[in-house]
Amino acid sequence: MNAPSSTTIRTPPPLIFSEVRKSYGETEILKGVTLTLNRGERTALLGSNGSGKSTLLRLIPRITAPTGGEIHVLGKELQHLSRKELKLLRAHIGFVFQKHLLVPRLSALTNTVHGALGRTSFGRAWFHSLAPQPIREEALACLEKVGLANHALKQTRHLSGGQSQRVAIARALMQRPELIIADEPVASLDPESGENVMRLLGELSQTDNLSLLFSTHHLEHALNYADRIVGLSSGRIIFDKRSDQTSLEELRSFYE
Amino acid sequence: MSNDPALSPQAELSLPPRFRFPGMGRTFGIIALFALISLSLHGAEISFSSFREGIPYMKEVLFEMLPPDLSRISNIGALLLDTLYMAIAGTCIGVLFALPLAVLAARTTSPHTALYAISRASVSLARTVPDLVWALFFVVTVGIGSFAGVLTIAIDTLGFCGRFFAESIEEIDHSPEEALETLGAGRCAILATYIFPTCTPSFINTVLFSLEKAVRSSVVLGLVGAGGIGVELKVAMDTLQYGQASTIILCIFVVVLVVEQMSTRARTALLTTS
């Protein structure tokens, strides 16, 4: 299902799902999903628990492989990529997890430097102290963007949930991504931190013209920070509208 | 009477018994355990009469040990230092080999089941064979002296650290590895950036315990010719120089105590900062 969009497409769309299916054993989670993301577009993915949102997102950097169908990411067909090509592609997809999944005993700066792991040679992005000066400067600039430059040397286990999620976003930015995927990025945060993180993601994708695909249960977040809202139910896309053409009531009815 | 349904008379009636009769299997197990203990006490030829008869000789030897003979204290000091060097060198070599072996011996990081099985078996062999047996082996193969002791301690450390390093690698939360993989990190990068930093406190703890263990065992390795102060102690005891023997024992006690104290302090300092 393709969304109406006014964006003029000059380069291939960052993400194309064609009849994608995914099963775990006998259970079919995704039942033929077709979806195209437009460049620079911010898309919210809605759906109740078990609808297949996380599975869909995890297919994009091929954390898990589909059972059928085709997935094109940044112009590349995932199925035919070699291990090395997949590694290079992953380096350009920023992935923000529900739980930040940082290395707790390392500093915010080193965790941000890890964003360059996919594009640097052996050992140069393992620790900020071993990284070349341009990488350290870039990582600090990414932390500055998320407002945490003054916590650069703090171990991430000493940061709050909201701060940790912002470091995870800085790490994703360090990848110089063309596409950012966020799997319920505010699910484990309090409302205020969640709002801050969503505002940050929305603003950064807009200023850097990044394509953003995030899943959420917060209908207000979908309306405020997405250009387009896609609804998933029982492994199928049943809703696809521009956010300015829908309302909170309509989105609520989608969950009923 | 309380309104709480949990405290109602019905609830009291359904209280479980305080003790339960163990099942047949468990009862048989307990009986077998006591039988084994009785057999061991009997088979070990424990004799209270021999112990009673030995008390006067123990007193005699102890009196002869006092006061300690300090005439060879400088020589004993030098040998103790050698023993300490042997323990530290052996521990370092053992830890160096234990790290990669632990990665292969941890289910979560081992690249292949065959490698996992071989590494586990190597760690078990190094750990289960007693250090004195390794010392005898190395004395025969590389000759009498400190080098045999260093190799013995290295193997012992490899077994001890290999096992505990592998266990701590298996115990950590592995979900951040998925995040690093999506960043394009390879296996080496994941080890260096996540697994080793996360396991560092546990590794430090294990290495310090291993060092304490090495210092204690390096003292006795000399008894079979693997260098260190043990040779001196054996000679003193064999030639009935109990005064010198007591000096050696006291020096060993002080060194082991100092190393343990330093290790405890280092552990506290390193674990609070790491």
Side-chain angles (χ1 to χ4, degrees):
Chain A
M1 196 182 288
N2 290 323
S5 170
S6 58
T7 315
T8 313
I9 301 170
R10 295 189 186 90
T11 46
L15 180 69
I16 304 171
F17 270 56
S18 309
E19 280 299 316
V20 173
R21 289 182 303 282
K22 174 67 187 174
S23 304
Y24 288 106
E26 296 286 298
T27 318
E28 196 172 28
I29 307 293
L30 296 179
K31 300 166 181 167
V33 172
T34 297
L35 172 74
T36 301
L37 229 68
N38 299 310
R39 200 159 282 270
E41 194 174 53
R42 299 173 302 170
T43 307
L45 189 61
L46 297 182
S48 48
N49 290 334
S51 60
K53 299 189 302 296
S54 292
T55 304
L56 188 147
L57 297 182
R58 289 162 69 87
L59 288 171
I60 300 166
R62 212 177 171 81
I63 296 172
T64 180
T67 319
E70 280 191 1
I71 304 172
H72 287 79
V73 181
L74 306 175
K76 303 258 169 61
E77 215 279 73
L78 284 188
Q79 200 184 341
H80 300 114
L81 292 183
S82 66
R83 202 180 162 86
K84 196 177 172 185
E85 287 169 327
L86 181 64
K87 189 181 164 185
L88 284 173
L89 180 73
R90 280 175 168 177
H92 294 284
I93 309 168
F95 203 112
V96 180
F97 292 84
Q98 187 176 344
K99 287 177 186 161
H100 49 77
L101 301 188
L102 299 170
V103 183
R105 290 195 167 268
L106 297 181
S107 67
L109 187 59
T110 290
N111 271 285
T112 311
V113 163
H114 288 168
L117 277 169
R119 62 180 148 93
T120 49
S121 52
F122 190 81
R124 291 166 75 87
W126 287 2
F127 304 99
H128 83 85
S129 43
L130 301 179
Q133 195 64 4
I135 287 188
R136 298 181 78 230
E137 284 168 2
E138 192 181 338
L140 191 65
C142 289
L143 278 177
E144 177 68 45
K145 276 186 184 177
V146 299
L148 286 173
N150 52 342
H151 288 78
L153 292 179
K154 214 171 189 178
Q155 286 187 353
T156 52
R157 65 190 166 126
H158 298 308
L159 298 178
S160 69
Q163 287 173 325
S164 296
Q165 200 59 299
R166 276 150 65 194
V167 176
I169 294 170
R171 180 174 69 176
L173 290 176
M174 187 66 190
Q175 291 178 258
R176 301 177 189 161
E178 293 174 50
L179 171 64
I180 291 190
I181 312 293
D183 186 8
E184 294 188 37
V186 301
S188 56
L189 304 180
D190 61 74
E192 196 187 337
S193 308
E195 195 67 33
N196 290 338
V197 164
M198 275 319 301
R199 190 180 304 120
L200 183 68
L201 267 175
E203 284 170 4
L204 288 172
S205 60
Q206 220 163 24
T207 42
D208 296 356
N209 196 33
L210 302 173
S211 309
L212 171 69
L213 175 61
F214 66 95
S215 63
T216 184
H217 286 300
H218 293 258
L219 306 181
E220 293 85 355
H221 289 170
L223 281 171
N224 296 339
Y225 302 111
D227 306 310
R228 175 185 172 189
I229 299 171
V230 172
L232 201 63
S233 176
S234 306
R236 287 196 177 88
I237 289 180
I238 56 156
F239 182 93
D240 191 349
K241 276 191 176 176
R242 293 201 60 78
S243 53
D244 51 13
Q245 290 169 359
T246 185
S247 63
L248 201 57
E249 286 68 35
E250 190 179 14
L251 294 181
R252 276 206 189 105
S253 66
F254 167 69
Y255 271 90
E256 283 159 4
Chain B
M1 191 184 284
S2 166
N3 291 330
D4 188 345
L7 299 175
S8 67
Q10 284 82 1
E12 279 174 35
L13 283 174
S14 63
L15 270 175
R18 289 182 188 275
F19 303 104
R20 275 192 301 180
F21 180 73
M24 283 303 285
R26 197 169 286 184
T27 311
F28 180 75
I30 293 168
I31 293 169
L33 181 70
F34 277 107
L36 182 69
I37 293 169
S38 310
L39 270 173
S40 304
L41 290 171
H42 179 71
E45 295 177 2
I46 292 173
S47 160
F48 289 105
S49 59
S50 298
F51 184 74
R52 201 171 47 242
E53 284 164 20
I55 288 174
Y57 296 107
M58 286 182 203
K59 270 186 193 166
E60 199 176 314
V61 171
L62 279 173
F63 281 128
E64 281 187 42
M65 281 183 160
L66 296 171
D69 177 1
L70 300 175
S71 60
R72 299 189 66 240
I73 190 75
S74 58
N75 194 31
I76 290 169
L79 278 169
L80 263 175
L81 205 60
D82 280 352
T83 312
L84 207 61
Y85 289 156
M86 201 166 86
I88 292 169
T91 306
C92 289
I93 296 168
V95 168
L96 212 64
F97 284 96
L99 266 178
L101 194 65
V103 172
L104 300 177
R107 197 173 281 110
T108 46
T109 49
S110 194
H112 197 276
T113 44
L115 270 175
Y116 167 75
I118 293 167
S119 318
R120 276 274 162 176
S122 312
V123 169
S124 295
L125 180 75
R127 200 183 68 252
T128 48
V129 175
D131 50 2
L132 276 177
V133 177
W134 284 117
L136 284 169
F137 173 75
F138 286 121
V139 165
V140 171
T141 50
V142 301
I144 289 174
S146 294
F147 185 49
V150 170
L151 289 177
T152 303
I153 290 166
I155 290 286
D156 204 39
T157 305
L158 180 80
F160 183 79
C161 289
R163 181 196 167 177
F164 288 106
F165 286 179
E167 279 181 5
S168 62
I169 289 174
E170 283 178 355
E171 279 165 13
I172 59 169
D173 172 22
H174 287 271
S175 42
E177 289 173 33
E178 196 176 76
L180 290 166
E181 264 180 51
T182 61
L183 295 169
R187 202 179 286 270
C188 284
I190 290 174
L191 278 174
T193 59
Y194 177 63
I195 292 174
F196 288 157
T198 307
C199 292
T200 298
S202 156
F203 284 2
I204 290 172
N205 219 4
T206 306
V207 169
L208 289 172
F209 274 124
S210 186
L211 182 67
E212 289 175 27
K213 192 170 165 287
V215 171
R216 280 195 299 269
S217 71
S218 65
V219 167
V220 291
L221 293 182
L223 298 176
V224 293
I229 191 77
V231 187
E232 196 70 11
L233 180 62
K234 187 175 184 319
V235 171
M237 292 296 269
D238 287 351
T239 55
L240 311 181
Q241 303 288 320
Y242 295 124
Q244 278 184 25
S246 67
T247 309
I248 295 168
I249 291 167
L250 279 173
C251 287
I252 290 169
F253 172 72
V254 170
V255 168
V256 171
L257 206 69
V258 168
V259 169
E260 284 187 356
Q261 284 298 314
M262 283 170 68
S263 163
T264 307
R265 286 183 181 203
R267 188 177 293 116
T268 313
L270 289 168
L271 294 186
T272 44
T273 53
S274 70

